[in-house]
Amino acid sequence: DTGVSQNPRHKITKRGQNVTFRCDPISEHNRLYWYRQTLGQGPEFLTYFQNEAQLEKSRLLSDRFSAERPKGSFSTLEIQRTEQGDSAMYLCASSFGQSNQPQHFGDGTRLSIL
Amino acid sequence: AQSVTQLGSHVSVSEGALVLLRCNYSSSVPPYLFWYVQYPNQGLQLLLKYTSAATLVKGINGFEAEFKKSETSFHLTKPSAHMSDAAEYFCAVGLLTGGGNKLTFGTGTQLKVEL
């Protein structure tokens, strides 16, 4: 059990650029979640995958955001035409078994928009 | 709709003193409740969970929490604080949806431990 891995750990980009983050969940975890955390706040749910199917998306996830989990293993989160308000920590979590089982979080990707 | 309220954004205790971090929840269905801890520039680590079994839940690092339905509370306690407990603590309530568990977090409580 190597834990949830997220890359990169930090990303600095100019406003208007596209960015992509990667999440590798714990092996055999079938559920994968993305959250966003801004300074001084708790994480907010963005989207959820069960295997390769994206089953729920938050209204926070605007059209500029897209997430994929093509083979039911790793996932990517892409933000197009980044804006200042996208600056945040993006957290990935995974879980296995019954849906009420706790989620295991990665260390996150911190995005800074210049 | 679900929500979590954490009273006290900052709590300061002396080393060896009791730690009490407050969490109240609102849920339209029987809740799944969690406490997570976050150290600077890291993700969240699970401390403990309540999933409708025993109301007193024991977690890692000596922490425990008691589910009180009548008070809609799930306060986190530790009998004796240690310097290494200094971190941010988040209470979360889970909503089962589409086969998953969407967590709603409180705004967090920063715990400071003083000598």
Side-chain angles (χ1 to χ4, degrees):
Chain A
D1 183 345
T2 57
V4 178
S5 177
Q6 292 189 246
N7 289 287
R9 290 295 313 279
H10 300 91
K11 180 69 176 179
I12 301 173
T13 191
K14 293 181 179 180
R15 182 168 53 92
Q17 298 295 304
N18 298 344
V19 294
T20 300
F21 311 140
R22 177 178 170 125
C23 171
D24 288 90
I26 294 172
S27 178
E28 297 181 356
H29 277 199
N30 59 333
R31 296 187 178 84
L32 188 147
Y33 304 80
W34 285 98
Y35 292 84
R36 182 172 68 187
Q37 184 179 22
T38 54
L39 201 61
Q41 299 296 317
E44 295 176 292
F45 171 81
L46 291 179
T47 189
Y48 153 68
F49 290 85
Q50 183 165 314
N51 300 312
E52 67 276 8
Q54 187 175 19
L55 297 185
E56 184 159 348
K57 294 193 295 185
S58 165
R59 57 183 171 80
L60 294 175
L61 215 63
S62 75
D63 291 345
R64 298 184 297 105
F65 288 72
S66 63
E68 294 182 342
R69 194 183 183 197
K71 296 183 180 179
S73 56
F74 73 92
S75 176
T76 58
L77 178 67
E78 180 183 15
I79 309 175
Q80 296 182 326
R81 305 181 303 281
T82 53
E83 301 174 354
Q84 290 285 349
D86 297 332
S87 294
M89 174 81 89
Y90 290 85
L91 294 165
C92 177
S94 68
S95 70
F96 179 75
Q98 294 184 0
S99 53
N100 64 355
Q101 289 304 300
Q103 296 167 28
H104 300 263
F105 283 80
D107 284 340
T109 295
R110 181 170 295 284
L111 175 64
S112 298
I113 307 296
L114 300 178
Chain B
Q2 305 201 127
S3 65
V4 172
T5 301
Q6 292 185 240
L7 294 176
S9 58
H10 292 82
V11 170
S12 183
V13 300
S14 299
E15 190 174 35
L18 171 71
V19 175
L20 170 60
L21 304 182
R22 300 178 185 274
C23 172
N24 288 87
Y25 70 91
S26 171
S27 176
S28 57
V29 297
Y32 298 112
L33 295 162
F34 306 87
W35 274 99
Y36 284 88
V37 61
Q38 186 176 35
Y39 297 95
N41 297 314
Q42 293 186 21
L44 282 74
Q45 179 183 2
L46 179 71
L47 282 175
L48 49 80
K49 63 177 182 178
Y50 168 76
T51 54
S52 75
T55 57
L56 182 61
V57 181
K58 294 187 182 300
I60 62 171
N61 300 339
F63 284 94
E64 63 183 35
E66 185 172 8
F67 172 70
K68 292 186 176 180
K69 183 178 179 180
S70 61
E71 299 177 7
T72 61
S73 68
F74 191 56
H75 302 331
L76 182 71
T77 60
K78 181 174 181 178
S80 177
H82 190 273
M83 295 296 289
S84 61
D85 295 327
E88 188 149 27
Y89 292 79
F90 291 95
C91 180
V93 59
L95 173 65
L96 298 187
T97 173
N101 190 3
K102 182 169 69 175
L103 296 179
T104 298
F105 287 86
T107 52
T109 297
Q110 186 72 44
L111 176 64
K112 182 178 180 182
V113 182
E114 299 175 318
L115 288 172

